[in-house]
């Protein structure tokens, strides 16, 4: 049966009849035409001829003019472009949001893919920003941090050894500054965190303490979570106020958050203390990363400090504290520095023996929170932020490509909306609303990903110090950052597709209604550009990760100057458990005898320094070389060691002898130095027999041996002087037991611990490390960094690969007709496969070329921060390029293989 309605609708199109009247006329005329058609067919005429005759009769009538004259045709105002806007921004925005929500719900697969892609990029940025916010931007939860300054001693005349670095101050100097300074409304002081032994009702535990002045918390503007802080009269007379403030984290972890904690008695280094308060939640001292478990007033220093530091309150020559001052309103740090310099000059004149050449250094407290590592932390934070920014850029590029592909499908919809009067600005706003909504969905999921990533990352903290590390905080600024990134991301990936889509030509699109829509050259060009950018960025991230990884691997090959394999270390603090000198020396001997007899142990010894945690002293005097100014004082690492220390660690002798049983406190005081110190101060002499004096020593020490230089404070450090003194002549109640085993030390740890508990069950042995673990801890920060770089590099590679696969699959789908023609004309599957692969890999090669150029530029800037890796490291460049090309080849091959299997007949029929 012929379709008469279409013919009649075409002739009535320009009359603008009312819809109900137009339907009546169409039904009436259609019935008439059908009757006429059947009459003609009854005469034996063919279908085609009967249809032509009826249409000819219809054209001969004056249907449209007659209806125009007889029908009541309503008048319509022409629709102006842009009339869809109501002029009410909020109502239009709500309308856009409702429409955007409907469109995204109609395409759940597209919405899910875009949301997940954006969530990965935004989650990576949120995780890194959380770390930066916690450790760099807001590391200290104190009141008005901009008013606070750190106060340290510095050498006025910079030398190669002092170099003007901030140093600790003596308590007496802090006290004088507090009495004389007017620039600060309050000046407090605190020590560095120190390990001590705490005993509650159960076993003894190793914790960290800070000695502070009574006004410490007041100067910082803090309030206790529970109880109170120190009172002024608790910090005036030594030894009369055994009180302590417990940190919030220590209260929760070590005491289970007990509500009756205030007033409870604990023992710190075997001295009884009463807990009077709990510190604020999140506050762990004034160092950004690491903090104490407990604070005690400065007047109780003698009760908890080791013997060599117990005169910290009475000796002006013993640096122990860092000052922290709050500026008076209206005063600047520059003004405070000027006043401090005047006071420092007066102290130097009054106490020339102790303060000669010393000045006072003032720094913003937020700057002092990291000390010398601040620049490295800032660089690492900036590098990670740049990397995750690139990951987000790849994610945005992927989504932009998806939106451009989706725009082809929505051309009909956009054309109809424009035909109904929607203006370009209105369409752009609607499309951007959809993009921003997608960005917000990705932001919500990304915030969850970021939080989970932070928790996972922070779980790799060294177990020994996990409670003392700063806790990552999801602060309001993190939520604000995630929200802002989500909005900006939506605008970033949505603006180009919105601008392109809004240029749709109504007449052109309506003509395409009955045929397949292909991609324009502009669309292909933009997609290829975005894809090449993704490949380039991915390669840069992979190269950077490879360079940092290679640097870490080379750092592991650094010879620290001692053998780390088959080495175990046990931290022992008998003095903190109440041992006097006689009992401590007896304990050392018993442990040497009992542990040395355990099968599998080849040697053992004692030392005061942990590997790579050397204690440096300034003010070494060399006999016969004249009196040096304080600003030119000799600095050296000082380590108290027992017999067989050098053989246990595998440190070779250059000349001279080792310590022996005969080197006791009644014999000649002696020392062993390293060859760096020998070459520096006795370059043309034999150092054996020469004498030197330590800063706090009374006697000159005769040099009896020279050993090879090792690393004492950091791995791969520049050679520095070191002095070893015998334990039997220099008593210490806090030592580290070094145990050399014949095989893996983990197999003998339990046996060693068992012997220690047999000697004294109350002696805490919690901190046990192997030599390998010491190196791992020295490289912990770098390993975390390379882990993050690797994760972000692989994430970028995955996003770029998915984007490449998506654009190739879409391209193949749009070119099915072309591929069908090629195969119909004789092209084989291999030919089509090669064609698609070549076209896909050409995009990849262009991105790799750009990425290599960028990698070389970035590598040169990065190489100065890496160990043993050049800016154009061939292994990193080649390895990253190979990985990227391999993954890209797989991403191109899958769509190309599908294209080569196209059936020509099916493809041509679909077209």
């Amino acid at each position: 049966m012929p379709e008469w309605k279409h013919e009649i609708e075409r002739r009535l199109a320009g009359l603008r009849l009312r819809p109900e009247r137009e339907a009546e006329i169409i039904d009436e005329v259609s019935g008439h035409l059908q009757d006429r058609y059947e009459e003609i067919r009854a005469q034996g005429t063919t279908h085609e001829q009967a249809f032509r005759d009826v249409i000819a009769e219809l054209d001969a009538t004056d249907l449209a003019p007659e209806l125009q004259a007889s029908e009541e045709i309503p008048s319509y105002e022409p629709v102006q472009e842009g009339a869809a806007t109501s002029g009410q921004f909020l109502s239009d925005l709500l309308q856009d949001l409702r429409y955007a929500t409907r469109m995204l719900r109609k395409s759940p697969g597209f919405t899910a893919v875009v949301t997940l892609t954006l969530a990965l990029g935004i989650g990576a940025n949120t995780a890194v920003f959380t770390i930066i916010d916690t450790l760099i931007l807001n590391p200290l939860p104190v009141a008005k941090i901009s008013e606070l300054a750190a106060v340290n001693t510095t050498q006025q005349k910079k030398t190669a050894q002092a170099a003007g670095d901030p140093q600790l101050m003596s308590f007496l100097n802090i006290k004088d500054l507090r009495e004389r300074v007017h620039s600060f409304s309050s000046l407090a002081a605190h020590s560095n965190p120190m390990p001590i032994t705490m005993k509650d009702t159960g076993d003894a535990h190793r914790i960290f303490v800070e000695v502070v002045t009574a006004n410490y918390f007041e100067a910082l503007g803090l309030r206790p979570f529970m109880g109170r802080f120190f009172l002024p009269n608790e910090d005036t007379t030594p030894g009369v106020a055994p009180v302590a403030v417990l940190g919030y984290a220590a209260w929760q972890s070590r005491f289970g958050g007990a509500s009756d904690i205030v007033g409870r008695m604990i023992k710190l280094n075997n001295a009884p203390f009463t807990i009077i308060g709990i510190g604020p939640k999140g506050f762990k001292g004034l160092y950004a990363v690491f903090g104490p478990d407990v604070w005690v007033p400065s007047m109780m220093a003698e009760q908890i400090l080791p013997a060599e530091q117990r005169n910290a309150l009475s000796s002006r020559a013993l640096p122990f504290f860092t000052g922290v001052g709050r500026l008076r309103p209206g005063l600047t740090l520059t003004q405070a520095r000027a006043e401090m310099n005047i006071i420092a000059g007066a102290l130097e004149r009054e106490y020339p023996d102790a303060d000669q050449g010393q000045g006072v250094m003032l720094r913003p407290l937020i700057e002092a929170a990291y000390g010398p590592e601040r620049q490295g932390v800032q660089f690492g934070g900036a590098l990670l932020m740049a990397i995750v920014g690139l990951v987000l850029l790849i994610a945005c590029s992927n989504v932009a490509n998806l939106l451009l592909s989706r725009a082809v499908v929505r051309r009909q919809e956009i054309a109809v909306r424009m035909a109904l009067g929607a203006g370009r600005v209105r369409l752009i706003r609607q499309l951007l609303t959809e993009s921003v909504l997608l960005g917000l969905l990705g932001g919500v999921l990304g915030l969850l990903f970021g939080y989970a990533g932070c928790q996972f990352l922070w779980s790799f903290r060294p177990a020994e110090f996990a409670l003392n590390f700063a806790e990552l905080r999801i602060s309001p600024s993190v939520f604000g950052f995630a929200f802002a990134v989500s909005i900006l991301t939506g605008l970033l990936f949505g603006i180009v597709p919105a601008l392109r889509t809004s240029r749709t030509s109504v007449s052109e699109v309506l003509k395409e209604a009955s045929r397949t829509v292909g991609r324009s050259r502009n669309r292909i060009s933009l997609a290829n550009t975005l894809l090449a950018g993704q490949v380039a960025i991915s390669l840069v991230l992979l190269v950077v990760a490879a360079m940092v990884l290679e640097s870490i691997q080379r750092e592991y090959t650094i010879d620290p100057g001692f053998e780390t394999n088959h080495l175990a270390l046990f931290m022992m603090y008998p003095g903190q458990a109440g041992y006097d000198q006689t009992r401590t020396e007896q304990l050392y001997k018993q442990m040497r005898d009992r542990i040395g007899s355990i099968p599998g142990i080849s040697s053992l010894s004692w030392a005061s320094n942990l590997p790579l945690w050397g204690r440096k002293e300034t003010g070494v005097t060399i006999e016969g070389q004249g009196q040096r100014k304080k600003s030119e004082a000799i600095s050296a690492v000082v380590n108290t060691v027992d017999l067989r220390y050098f053989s246990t660690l595998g440190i070779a002798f250059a000349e001279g002898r080792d310590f022996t049983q005969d080197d006791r406190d009644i014999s000649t005081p002696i020392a062993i130095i390293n060859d760096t110190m020998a070459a520096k101060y006795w370059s043309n002499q034999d150092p054996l027999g020469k004498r030197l004096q330590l800063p706090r020593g009374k006697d000159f020490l005769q040099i009896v041996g020279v050993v090879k230089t090792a690393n004492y404070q950091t791995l791969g450090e520049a050679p520095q002087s070191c002095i070893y003194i015998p334990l039997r002549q220099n008593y210490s109640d806090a030592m580290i037991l070094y145990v050399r085993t014949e095989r893996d030390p983990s197999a003998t740890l339990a046996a060693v611990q068992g012997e220690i508990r047999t000697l004294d069950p109350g002696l805490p042995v919690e901190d046990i490390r192997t030599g390998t673990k010491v190196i791992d801890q020295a490289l912990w920060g770098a390993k975390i960094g390379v882990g993050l770089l690797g994760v972000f590099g692989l994430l970028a590679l995955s996003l770029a690969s998915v984007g490449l696969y998506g654009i190739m699959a879409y391209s193949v789908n749009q070119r099915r007709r072309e591929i069908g023609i090629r195969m119909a004309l004789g092209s084989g599957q291999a030919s089509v496969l090669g064609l698609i692969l070549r076209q896909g890999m050409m995009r990849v090669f262009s991105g790799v070329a750009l990425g290599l150029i960028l990698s070389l530029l970035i590598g040169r800037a990065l190489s100065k921060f890496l160990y043993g890796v050049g800016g154009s490291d061939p292994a990193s460049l080649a390895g990253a390029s190979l990985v990227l090309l391999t993954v890209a080849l797989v991403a191109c091959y899958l769509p190309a293989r599908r294209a080569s299997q196209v059936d020509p007949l099916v493809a041509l029929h679909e077209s």
Side-chain angles (χ1 to χ4, degrees), residues 648-667:
T648 300
L649 266 74
I651 299 176
F653 271 81
E655 57 180 318
R657 67 172 179 85
D658 197 352
F659 299 132
T660 67
Q661 296 276 2
D662 298 328
D663 297 320
R664 298 183 176 275
D665 53 359
I666 59 174
S667 58

Side-chain angles (χ1 to χ4, degrees), residues 192-210:
N192 291 333
M194 301 174 295
I196 62 171
T197 300
M198 181 191 73
K199 188 171 184 180
D200 183 24
T201 55
D203 296 334
H205 299 283
R206 178 172 169 269
I207 65 169
F208 287 86
V209 65
E210 273 189 3

